[in-house]
Amino acid sequence: MNSFVNMASIADFEPLAAAIPATKVEITVSFCVLYTQGVGNREWREYGRTEVIDNTLNPDFVTKFILDYFFEERQNLRFDLYDLDSKSDNLSKHDFLGQAFCTLGEVVGSHGSRLERPLTNQTEKLNRLCINKVFPCRGIPGKNCGTIIIKAEELGNCRESVLMQFCGNKLDKKDFFGKSDPFLVFYRSNEDGTFTICHKTEVVKNTLDPVWQAFKIPVRALCNGDYDREIKIEVYDWDRDGGHDYIGEFSTSYRELSKGQSQFSVYEVLNPRKKKKKKKYQNSGTVSLRFMSSHVTNPLFLLLFFFSRTQINFTVAIDFTASNGNPSQPTSLHYLSPYQQNAYSMALRAVGEIIQDYDSDKMFPALGFGAKLPPDGRVSHEFALNGNPDNPYCSGIEGVMEAYYQSLKSVRLYGPTYFSPVINHVARYASLVKDGSEYFILLIISDGVISDMAQTKESIVNASALPMSIIIVGVGPAEFDEMIELDGDEIRISSRGRFAERDIVQFVPFRDYIDRRGNHILSMARLAKDVLAEIPDQFLQYMRTRGIKPQCPPQSYSSKLPAAPLQTQI
């Protein structure tokens, strides 16, 4: 059996992707044909294929796919597995084994960036042999045909760099009239067992105890983000004619180097030829790491936290004030048309469908404000859309949408428009988390003027010291001057003489993103891209100001540490 996977992805929203720097992520799957899909249409287009692995039910493919990963976009993936029957490039000539669906965000946000999905066979062919299971798949539509494991590893322009300095001791003498003129050559190991040169030090003349200058190098260049990947270092004696004399070599890894000045930082330089010829040969000297300092050089380095431990908690708050209009009338912003979604629904779905990929339990608190509640008609500025104040959680974005629709049937739109209660609601939970293990995102969707501006400012200033971001989407034709003021891009928001510790608010008017041709999918994608674009920076700024550093993922995935715009390798 010759296996390959067909993988489809909405990874390249062409109309949107130009301005935002992407991160490259490496995705590992099993013979894969990768397709991309634009926002405005549903056609899959081929991007690439894996190699074929002969005669196996458990293929582990070497070929990787490099995808541009955007936190603020929904990037759908489809994996199709085939049994190769001929040399034809036409997929219809091969046996289809099964398929699986996910989003790139789900892979990146999964524990250890490792996602397992069942394969299902939608064809009517019988006796399919499926990946990771040694049994025939009966070809029944929807049947589980085994599993596929997808891993993501960040690639691209590594955002972490390291400053190192080495010195040598008692290196072999190579020059007839002097000592040696030693220099070091660093090699990064490749997946195929070969090595690629990545750095060369300067030459230190006429010494057997050289001290080379400190140098700075991206971690990607050393190991491509794999902290346990072998790094080979060769020692040479420089010759003017270019025929440099080989002194010896040693191997290490980034993880070993990062242990600092310890017993692990002194390396014996070994010459295999001399070791073979001389029985009493010990080494050709030693090389020591004098010091090492690493740091992240790009503030968009988001994946490292996702790979480790941070849980994203998403909360929705919807404006139910009377200024939205009677929900039963087509002129209302809350009107539920049988033909299209209203602005609230589109904004909620656009942002929520992306955020939910980073929330492991997919349970979201959904709140409303500015309505009279049954049965007594009391006005509430912080009520659960599902009617359960003790458990306001909804299952996935579909659950939030359903709770929103049901609320429109049971509550009476009233007022005024208060933001501070829902901000304080989320802040109460965020204040309990101080170790970086959770981060909270509040989405507020509203139609107009804020009635508690002073209290809202104070709530935002207080929340700016918490692991929390606020997204405000304005719907309808109103002027949103006050909401623009809350978005502290130009002037940092303040309250009672206190300035916000950091900018945590992003406001956008939904009308600016409506596609003139009526393409609601494109409108939603544009909106999500802009409102979510600032989240990575806000997230990392909080972590930096609190001195919270990424932790290593579980031991079984420790070799998959990310290196960085995010490019994703699958």
Side-chain angles (χ1 to χ4, degrees), residues 198 384 455 515:
C198 58
Q455 293 89 338
D515 182 66

Side-chain angles (χ1 to χ4, degrees), residues 424-442:
N424 293 336
H425 175 99
V426 177
R428 283 195 295 273
Y429 291 94
S431 65
L432 302 176
V433 181
K434 303 182 185 302
D435 61 355
S437 60
E438 298 180 58
Y439 194 83
F440 296 77
I441 298 175
L442 170 62

Side-chain angles (χ1 to χ4, degrees), residues 454-471:
Q455 293 89 338
T456 296
K457 284 184 175 181
E458 184 171 7
S459 296
I460 292 173
V461 169
N462 292 336
S464 68
L466 302 175
M468 179 174 169
S469 289
I470 301 170
I471 298 168

Side-chain angles (χ1 to χ4, degrees), residues 249-310:
E249 65 185 62
F250 61 95
S251 294
T252 183
S253 67
Y254 183 79
R255 190 180 302 282
E256 189 173 303
L257 288 170
S258 64
K259 292 176 181 177
Q261 299 180 42
S262 67
Q263 67 270 24
F264 298 102
S265 297
V266 180
Y267 302 93
E268 284 190 296
V269 178
L270 300 177
N271 187 322
R273 291 182 183 177
K274 293 182 71 173
K275 188 175 182 180
K276 207 171 186 180
K277 291 180 180 180
K278 299 181 179 180
K279 291 183 179 181
K280 294 184 178 181
Y281 175 80
Q282 292 185 335
N283 58 54
S284 295
T286 62
V287 169
S288 301
L289 175 64
R290 297 191 74 187
F291 75 85
M292 175 178 177
S293 175
S294 62
H295 63 284
V296 175
T297 60
N298 193 307
L300 292 179
F301 193 37
L302 177 65
L303 264 195
L304 192 51
F305 286 96
F306 286 151
F307 271 88
S308 52
R309 60 176 188 168
T310 301

Side-chain angles (χ1 to χ4, degrees), residues 300-332:
L300 292 179
F301 193 37
L302 177 65
L303 264 195
L304 192 51
F305 286 96
F306 286 151
F307 271 88
S308 52
R309 60 176 188 168
T310 301
Q311 162 74 23
I312 301 298
N313 297 307
F314 180 52
T315 302
V316 175
I318 296 177
D319 184 341
F320 282 83
T321 56
S323 56
N324 285 281
N326 188 335
S328 64
Q329 300 298 317
T331 54
S332 172

Side-chain angles (χ1 to χ4, degrees), residues 91-311:
L91 295 177
S92 65
K93 302 294 184 181
H94 309 291
D95 290 333
F96 176 73
L97 299 179
Q99 65 183 187
F101 295 86
C102 66
T103 69
L104 185 53
E106 285 180 292
V107 182
V108 171
S110 295
H111 189 61
S113 291
R114 179 185 186 273
L115 184 68
E116 222 174 293
R117 278 289 159 88
L119 286 165
T120 58
N121 192 325
Q122 303 297 333
T123 71
E124 297 180 0
K125 295 182 180 180
L126 302 179
N127 298 323
R128 301 288 185 222
L129 294 176
C130 302
I131 187 170
N132 288 348
K133 297 287 183 180
V134 188
F135 57 81
C137 175
R138 300 300 181 187
I140 300 173
K143 182 177 177 61
N144 187 331
C145 300
T147 59
I148 184 170
I149 298 172
I150 310 156
K151 299 177 183 178
E153 177 183 9
E154 188 180 7
L155 298 176
N157 300 319
C158 182
R159 301 160 192 271
E160 186 179 3
S161 60
V162 60
L163 184 68
M164 296 188 290
Q165 185 179 31
F166 289 86
C167 63
N169 183 47
K170 297 181 180 179
L171 298 178
D172 283 354
K173 178 180 179 298
K174 289 292 184 177
D175 293 342
F176 186 77
F177 293 108
K179 296 180 180 179
S180 286
D181 305 321
F183 66 95
L184 302 177
V185 181
F186 291 73
Y187 295 88
R188 178 183 70 245
S189 61
N190 303 316
E191 290 187 354
D192 60 0
T194 61
F195 288 87
T196 300
I197 186 171
C198 58
H199 182 73
K200 187 183 294 185
T201 68
E202 80 284 3
V203 176
V204 180
K205 292 291 189 72
N206 196 31
T207 180
L208 302 182
D209 303 301
V211 177
W212 291 281
Q213 293 179 13
F215 63 93
K216 185 177 179 181
I217 184 172
V219 173
R220 177 201 174 196
L222 279 174
C223 62
N224 205 18
D226 183 345
Y227 285 17
D228 294 310
R229 186 171 295 185
E230 181 183 1
I231 300 170
K232 183 173 71 172
I233 303 170
E234 295 180 341
V235 187
Y236 287 91
D237 167 45
W238 178 85
D239 284 338
R240 188 180 299 274
D241 62 4
H244 310 307
D245 296 322
Y246 174 75
I247 295 176
E249 65 185 62
F250 61 95
S251 294
T252 183
S253 67
Y254 183 79
R255 190 180 302 282
E256 189 173 303
L257 288 170
S258 64
K259 292 176 181 177
Q261 299 180 42
S262 67
Q263 67 270 24
F264 298 102
S265 297
V266 180
Y267 302 93
E268 284 190 296
V269 178
L270 300 177
N271 187 322
R273 291 182 183 177
K274 293 182 71 173
K275 188 175 182 180
K276 207 171 186 180
K277 291 180 180 180
K278 299 181 179 180
K279 291 183 179 181
K280 294 184 178 181
Y281 175 80
Q282 292 185 335
N283 58 54
S284 295
T286 62
V287 169
S288 301
L289 175 64
R290 297 191 74 187
F291 75 85
M292 175 178 177
S293 175
S294 62
H295 63 284
V296 175
T297 60
N298 193 307
L300 292 179
F301 193 37
L302 177 65
L303 264 195
L304 192 51
F305 286 96
F306 286 151
F307 271 88
S308 52
R309 60 176 188 168
T310 301
Q311 162 74 23

Side-chain angles (χ1 to χ4, degrees), residues 437-457:
S437 60
E438 298 180 58
Y439 194 83
F440 296 77
I441 298 175
L442 170 62
L443 170 64
I444 300 175
I445 310 175
S446 179
D447 79 317
V449 178
I450 303 171
S451 304
D452 65 338
M453 190 64 174
Q455 293 89 338
T456 296
K457 284 184 175 181

Side-chain angles (χ1 to χ4, degrees), residues 79 187 215 311 334 497 513 551:
F79 301 88
Y187 295 88
F215 63 93
Q311 162 74 23
H334 281 302
Y513 299 88
Q551 305 232 337

